[in-house]
Amino acid sequence: MHKLVLRSVTKSYAAGSAVLKPFDLVAQAGELVVLVGPSGCGKSTLLKLIAGLEKLDDGQILLGERDITNVEPRHRRIAMVFQNYALYPHLSVRENLAYPLRRQKLRAADIVLKVSAVARQLRLDELLDRRPSQLSGGQKQRVAMGRAIIREPDLFLLDEPLSNLDAALRTHVRGEIRDLQRRLGTTMIYVTHDQVEAQTLADRLVIMRNGEVQQVGPPQEIYERPANIFAAAFLGTAPPNFLAGRIVDDRVEIGQASLPLADLPGECRTALAGREQIYVGLRPEMLRPTCDLDRDHFVLRGKVIRREIVGNSQNVHFRSEAGSADAAKLSALAGRHLSDELVWTTERAGTDDAVELGIRPESILFFDTDGVAIGAHGSDAL
Amino acid sequence: MTPLSAQKRAEARVGLMLAAPAILLLVLLVVLPVLATAGFSLTDYRLGTQAIGFAGFDNYAALWNDPRFWQSVANTATYTLIVVPGSVGLGLGAALLIESRGWLKPFYRVAYFLPVASTFIAMAIVWEFLMNPSVGLFNQILAALGLPSVNFLGNPQTALYSMAAIGIWELTGFNMVLFMAGLSAIPRDLYDASAVDGAESGWDRFRMVTWPMLGPTTFFVVIITMIRAVRVFEVAAVITQGRPEGATEVLLYSIYVQAFQYFNIGYAAALIVVFLAVTALIALAQARFGGQREANR
Amino acid sequence: MKRPLRFMLRLVLAALFVAPILLALAASFRDNSDMYRYAGSLSLWTFLPAEPGIDAYRRAFTLPLLQTQLFNTVLLGFVMATGTTVSSLLAGYALSRFRFRGRQALFLLMLFTLFIPVDVILPPLFFVVRDLGLIDSFWGLALPFIFSPIGVYLIRQAIEEVPRELDHAASLDGAGLWEVLRTAILPNIRGALIACWLMHFVFVWEWYLWPLTAMRSDDGQLAQVAIASLIDPLRSTDYALVFAAAILTILPAFVVFAILQRFLTSSQATTGGK
């Protein structure tokens, strides 16, 4: 098992436009690290730099004990699965799997043995004589995985490997990849723009935006304590409801609603003291009807605009006086469009046209006006 | 020098190494000769003589005042203007006709390509035979239809057009093959998409899908046809020798006569320079049009 | 368009294109005295030989050098087509996949020379080949055409169609530069390579002016040039012989084309994806 270390890696294409600001990352031996972010955030470029397919401008890459910064791709002992699989269209599945072994000049008998072992492992036995053009998307994906694992590399790189599969298959293959990685114990860097995929797979997540790391940490930790508005909005089925608030005396005031600072956890209280303008984030799934809450809480009142029913839960869109007027600025901070509607995700079937919702104080996310989280958050040292 | 830029330099080195044979040959066979030609065009050099004197623009002045030069320019231009659209259009038409499946496809392919595989020169002889005013098949057919006979290659009025007809016959097949390759690369679902978007007739489909998608192919076909059209030579050289009355005098033939029959290298070089200047202009016009489309792919 | 109409159109067009060659073929089986016998009135025998014979072919084979010259043409075809394809492949690979100083300039120059017909710069080319001491030699004949901007353009385009991920996958799988070219790119541009090869092979049959100037010895000459010299404007030409010789000359190019033609229209590589 091998540890991957990136030290202040930088990369820019045309003069001026940096694709990666000085970038540091450590993937522990055997860890599955997911790089996630919107398209154009530099995550795929980073993968190519690690693979050696692109040359970095500056910095250092270590894999295990080796400095591979200037090593040719073929000598890096890294396997990569591409978004479009990049199977050799002129070769059969068998030959696709054997390709890396042939390049290593393995003996024919060993190649046959390894190919059949991998084929069995990935249920490709029946497909060995087919051409890639005769395979379904899921099958191609398995061949691509097979070609990656067959040479027992020090590191796996996966570049959006599921984006060409349909939704049902995606969930299934996701699980398979996770199991495979656990079984082999090989360090893996996985790139995706899909936050669900990212959360379900990752030991640790790296959230990226514009070539910069926003936050690194286990998915649950980032979900609970996002480092900034961008990270908060990126994870979760719907982004939190962001509202503008003020600190007046020892209360947080948001529109008509208010909450005593004394109700907040200690570190939050100290961090908030002395500030004026703030933003709060309320995750839709954390909101509860006030009648369910036993204490006096922060209360939002609003009128329901529409409902979306998703299976056994529904998203209730409502408008409240507390609704933020800063939609444009918040959208910029979040890197996605945020409307001034609020959302409540609930499993209740029938709801009234008027809602009265509260949230536990410890579930409220606080941000300063630059979108940076206030109070302790779970971001690792990079 | 950091090791990183060393890696980039390694890539550059390999790239240059791979391109080296092409670069070397390009310089040796195109750049050098073109430069040499430009140089020769300013001299009075004659093959076989030792003396070589600077002549300034005398050769160009002589060209300018030579009615035969103007005639050969006009002839070449007319010929090209007929042959390029003719053979490109017919080639595309033939490709579209054949393209739609059928077990006869290989047969047609070979049929149209036969003129390409047959040698120009041998075919020039065949054409002369067919167009012969007294015993040629065409005139026999005309006679059988009760029409007056035509001296296709002997009459100044028809000679150039007859030559152009031969040119179209020779070049169409190859263009067809190139178009077929282009057609086969058009994704089927584009036709479905165009049908959804309201393309009904075959013409609609051609206009909305085939023609735009064939852009790069058409670009290539037009270029390659032009190169082969402007260097028309064989019929003029073997059959007509520029006759009658200079009606089939084409540029390449003039160049050949000046350089290798009169050994007038300086004068021939000036002819070549003019020729290249004209093709350069056409090339630029083409590149603006076609290159843009290439870039937009 | 109605199907029968289409079918007819196809047939008529194809017939028009083959007709001259078929007529030459027919004429080559005539006797010279037979050549004009039916010229006066149109009949079946105007098109077909009344008494077919292979006398003209017999005479063609007794031409002292025709077989050597035919061999020259074919050999040159192979050498040229192979040479051009290899040089185009290397240059196309470099232009498509490598970044080096002057790459853009080289490509533009290449595009530009696409427009220069080699025949036009023959006089200076003649001096180049002469100064290399290659006049009257096989290699002198071949040299100016061993490189082709058309070939480079064609193959570069084909390589551009091969997804870069395929190169990347191969190089991560342990392939070096040559192995990437050989095992990942080459098999996927086979169509373009064969097209390039075939194109330049048949182009040799079009040559006339260059061999006429660069080759003065008869046994080194190409068949098509030699045939042209059979036409004698001063005396009556032995047409049957000319046609027989022409058919013999066409034959190799035709056979090669018939074998390889299906590759000309094969579409290019697609990835394993989508």
Side-chain angles (χ1 to χ4, degrees):
Chain A
M1 287 203 267
H2 301 264
K3 175 176 169 181
L4 175 75
V5 179
L6 304 188
R7 280 204 196 121
S8 49
V9 168
T10 54
K11 172 76 182 172
S12 57
Y13 288 117
S17 66
V19 182
L20 286 176
K21 316 266 165 65
F23 192 99
D24 294 273
L25 179 73
V26 176
Q28 299 300 336
E31 196 178 22
L32 200 169
V33 173
V34 176
L35 302 177
V36 67
S39 56
C41 70
K43 54 194 191 307
S44 289
T45 305
L46 186 63
L47 218 53
K48 283 186 180 159
L49 291 175
I50 298 171
L53 301 171
E54 299 259 2
K55 315 282 183 257
L56 36 113
D57 295 342
D58 207 355
Q60 199 180 23
I61 303 176
L62 306 170
L63 180 57
E65 301 301 307
R66 296 181 299 149
D67 179 346
I68 57 166
T69 317
N70 293 310
V71 175
E72 273 185 62
R74 60 175 164 148
H75 294 135
R76 291 195 178 197
R77 298 187 44 80
I78 290 176
M80 185 159 170
V81 175
F82 294 84
Q83 185 170 5
N84 61 6
Y85 315 130
L87 302 179
Y88 307 109
H90 58 286
L91 298 179
S92 65
V93 170
R94 186 191 308 279
E95 282 305 309
N96 263 286
L97 292 176
Y99 187 94
L101 304 179
R102 291 207 189 287
R103 300 283 82 75
Q104 291 176 356
K105 309 266 181 295
L106 249 60
R107 285 189 310 137
D110 293 343
I111 292 179
V112 170
L113 232 61
K114 284 199 169 196
V115 167
S116 59
V118 167
R120 204 171 322 115
Q121 203 174 348
L122 291 168
R123 306 189 316 280
L124 292 167
D125 314 64
E126 310 283 305
L127 308 173
L128 281 175
D129 292 315
R130 295 217 195 145
R131 290 290 175 96
S133 57
Q134 298 165 306
L135 300 178
S136 72
Q139 292 168 334
K140 282 182 200 167
Q141 214 285 329
R142 292 214 299 276
V143 178
M145 283 303 296
R147 197 178 60 184
I149 64 173
I150 199 162
R151 41 192 278 250
E152 296 156 23
D154 293 352
L155 177 70
F156 285 130
L157 302 175
L158 281 76
D159 188 4
E160 308 240 3
L162 306 181
S163 59
N164 283 329
L165 302 180
D166 60 58
L169 203 56
R170 215 177 291 168
T171 319
H172 175 70
V173 176
R174 199 166 71 200
E176 287 192 329
I177 290 178
R178 175 84 259 206
D179 293 346
L180 196 67
Q181 193 268 342
R182 283 277 147 77
R183 204 160 61 236
L184 299 170
T186 311
T187 316
M188 180 183 280
I189 310 288
Y190 187 110
V191 158
T192 181
H193 64 268
D194 184 316
Q195 57 96 15
V196 178
E197 208 171 298
Q199 291 190 70
T200 47
L201 277 171
D203 289 327
R204 272 193 312 150
L205 269 181
V206 178
I207 298 190
M208 293 179 67
R209 182 188 194 187
N210 297 335
E212 277 180 305
V213 172
Q214 303 293 307
Q215 191 170 9
V216 179
Q220 193 58 30
E221 201 174 297
I222 296 183
Y223 175 80
E224 283 166 7
R225 297 163 183 274
N228 54 31
I229 286 186
F230 180 80
F234 200 86
L235 251 52
T237 37
N241 300 298
F242 291 106
L243 304 170
R246 290 188 309 147
I247 311 287
V248 179
D249 298 330
D250 51 358
R251 295 183 77 84
V252 184
E253 290 191 350
I254 298 150
Q256 308 282 290
S258 92
L259 176 78
L261 280 179
D263 282 3
L264 296 170
E267 72 264 26
C268 222
R269 208 158 48 211
T270 33
L272 280 170
R275 291 182 189 263
E276 277 189 42
Q277 300 290 331
I278 55 157
Y279 289 119
V280 297
L282 313 173
R283 292 213 178 264
E285 58 275 22
M286 295 294 185
L287 295 173
R288 299 278 180 277
T290 40
C291 53
D292 287 6
L293 297 161
D294 46 353
R295 276 186 290 156
D296 171 35
H297 288 297
F298 177 82
V299 175
L300 276 177
R301 292 187 183 81
K303 284 182 78 171
V304 173
I305 308 165
R306 69 177 182 279
R307 298 183 170 83
E308 294 162 357
I309 296 176
V310 187
N312 70 338
S313 74
Q314 62 171 320
N315 295 325
V316 180
H317 293 252
F318 63 99
R319 201 162 262 146
S320 160
E321 287 168 6
S324 172
D326 290 1
K329 187 183 177 194
L330 282 164
S331 296
L333 289 171
R336 64 193 290 174
H337 173 73
L338 299 172
S339 73
D340 56 353
E341 289 173 21
L342 304 180
V343 183
W344 168 37
T345 304
T346 176
E347 288 182 9
R348 288 163 180 257
T351 46
D352 299 330
D353 280 351
V355 288
E356 195 174 289
L357 303 167
I359 189 167
R360 292 172 180 283
E362 58 270 31
S363 300
I364 301 178
L365 309 168
F366 292 97
F367 304 95
D368 66 16
T369 45
D370 294 326
V372 180
I374 298 174
H377 56 75
S379 179
D380 284 11
L382 289 172
Chain B
M1 204 60 72
T2 68
L4 300 170
S5 71
Q7 224 176 26
K8 277 183 184 164
R9 278 184 305 151
E11 179 185 340
R13 203 166 50 237
V14 178
L16 274 174
M17 199 185 75
L18 288 169
I23 295 173
L24 185 77
L25 289 166
L26 193 66
V27 168
L28 189 67
L29 303 172
V30 182
V31 178
L32 260 182
V34 168
L35 291 181
T37 308
F40 277 127
S41 75
L42 301 175
T43 68
D44 59 3
Y45 182 55
R46 298 176 62 87
L47 205 58
T49 60
Q50 289 301 316
I52 179 165
F54 183 70
F57 289 96
D58 288 2
N59 288 319
Y60 291 97
L63 266 188
W64 188 266
N65 294 318
D66 183 355
R68 284 189 63 176
F69 162 70
W70 289 110
Q71 185 163 22
S72 73
V73 169
N75 286 342
T76 309
T78 313
Y79 178 88
T80 308
L81 282 177
I82 298 173
V83 169
V84 172
S87 62
V88 172
L90 265 179
L92 177 58
L96 287 171
L97 268 179
I98 296 175
E99 192 243 357
S100 49
R101 84 230 118 184
W103 54 273
L104 275 173
K105 206 158 140 180
F107 163 75
Y108 287 120
R109 212 143 53 182
V110 173
Y112 284 105
F113 202 75
L114 252 178
V116 186
S118 63
T119 104
F120 278 12
I121 206 71
M123 282 302 120
I125 302 163
V126 174
W127 282 103
E128 192 223 1
F129 183 67
L130 291 173
M131 290 180 170
N132 188 297
S134 48
V135 296
L137 183 69
F138 289 172
N139 274 311
Q140 290 177 41
I141 295 175
L142 287 180
L145 296 172
L147 295 168
S149 77
V150 178
N151 188 353
F152 292 98
L153 286 167
N155 182 336
Q157 244 105 59
T158 55
L160 188 64
Y161 299 108
S162 306
M163 218 160 89
I166 300 174
I168 291 178
W169 176 80
E170 280 166 346
L171 299 182
T172 297
F174 192 70
N175 293 346
M176 181 208 67
V177 172
L178 292 178
F179 274 124
M180 287 182 72
L183 284 174
S184 73
I186 299 177
R188 292 289 105 192
D189 43 359
L190 279 182
Y191 288 103
D192 300 339
S194 80
V196 173
D197 290 343
E200 279 162 18
S201 61
W203 167 246
D204 278 343
R205 275 185 299 149
F206 176 77
R207 199 169 46 84
M208 290 168 66
V209 180
T210 315
W211 180 247
M213 287 304 289
L214 274 181
T217 309
T218 313
F219 174 68
F220 183 65
V221 173
V222 170
I223 290 176
I224 204 171
T225 314
M226 246 179 48
I227 306 169
R228 298 168 82 210
V230 291
R231 58 164 222 217
V232 53
F233 175 75
E234 284 79 5
V235 174
V238 182
I239 312 291
T240 64
Q241 274 94 35
R243 291 183 297 258
E245 297 164 29
T248 60
E249 173 107 23
V250 283
L251 264 173
L252 191 56
Y253 182 66
S254 309
I255 292 171
Y256 171 74
V257 169
Q258 288 294 342
F260 294 111
Q261 289 189 350
Y262 303 156
F263 303 121
N264 226 334
I265 299 298
Y267 191 80
L271 263 172
I272 297 172
V273 170
V274 172
F275 189 110
L276 290 180
V278 174
T279 36
L281 278 179
I282 303 173
L284 278 179
Q286 266 285 331
R288 273 202 96 88
F289 165 74
Q292 217 92 57
R293 293 173 54 152
E294 281 280 86
N296 290 342
R297 268 219 294 176
Chain C
M1 220 181 298
K2 299 254 163 50
R3 285 201 56 178
L5 188 66
R6 242 182 119 104
F7 182 75
M8 284 303 294
L9 203 63
R10 243 183 268 177
L11 214 60
V12 168
L13 213 57
L16 270 177
F17 273 82
V18 211
I21 293 167
L22 290 184
L23 287 170
L25 183 66
S28 70
F29 288 105
R30 282 181 207 267
D31 190 75
N32 260 330
S33 59
D34 189 37
M35 201 65 75
Y36 302 120
R37 194 189 302 168
Y38 302 94
S41 61
L42 210 55
S43 74
L44 183 61
W45 307 119
T46 320
F47 298 95
L48 294 176
E51 296 148 24
I54 53 162
D55 192 46
Y57 287 92
R58 215 171 278 137
R59 269 180 288 141
F61 276 112
T62 58
L63 285 175
L65 291 170
L66 187 68
Q67 287 170 59
T68 319
Q69 288 157 344
L70 200 51
F71 176 75
N72 290 341
T73 305
V74 175
L75 182 65
L76 208 55
F78 274 99
V79 170
M80 296 287 322
T82 311
T84 316
T85 308
V86 170
S87 70
S88 300
L89 176 64
L90 297 183
Y93 184 40
L95 282 172
S96 172
R97 294 297 206 250
F98 292 86
R99 266 167 289 178
F100 54 91
R101 191 189 297 267
R103 182 177 74 145
Q104 277 300 320
L106 182 62
F107 185 60
L108 282 178
L109 188 66
M110 210 79 91
L111 269 186
F112 193 70
T113 51
L114 264 183
F115 290 87
I116 302 180
V118 183
D119 313 57
V120 174
I121 47 170
L122 273 195
L125 214 47
F126 178 78
F127 296 132
V128 171
V129 173
R130 186 191 60 185
D131 293 346
L132 291 171
L134 291 173
I135 290 297
D136 285 343
S137 77
F138 180 82
W139 292 109
L141 218 48
L143 182 67
F145 297 87
I146 212 135
F147 161 76
S148 148
I150 293 173
V152 177
Y153 177 84
L154 201 70
I155 290 181
R156 177 191 169 271
Q157 290 306 94
I159 295 181
E160 287 283 298
E161 302 279 314
V162 179
R164 254 151 243 256
E165 278 86 9
L166 225 52
D167 301 33
H168 290 164
S171 59
L172 282 170
D173 285 344
L177 283 178
W178 293 109
E179 279 179 317
V180 169
L181 181 63
R182 187 172 58 83
T183 59
I185 295 178
L186 257 183
N188 292 303
I189 58 166
R190 214 181 300 149
L193 285 176
I194 293 174
C196 176
W197 191 92
L198 183 53
M199 208 161 131
H200 291 93
F201 183 76
V202 294
F203 277 174
V204 168
W205 268 256
E206 291 183 2
W207 287 10
Y208 178 68
L209 189 46
W210 176 245
L212 196 63
T213 37
M215 175 56 70
R216 283 163 309 199
S217 80
D218 282 340
D219 50 358
Q221 195 49 278
L222 303 184
Q224 63 265 37
V225 184
I227 292 174
S229 66
L230 289 176
I231 303 180
D232 190 340
L234 298 181
R235 270 171 285 156
S236 66
T237 306
D238 184 348
Y239 274 113
L241 174 64
V242 171
F243 289 147
I247 295 289
L248 287 176
T249 311
I250 295 173
L251 209 58
F254 177 66
V255 170
V256 171
F257 178 76
I259 296 169
L260 294 181
Q261 49 94 16
R262 71 198 167 88
F263 290 103
L264 276 179
T265 52
S266 68
S267 53
Q268 281 302 324
T270 48
T271 24
K274 291 202 176 161

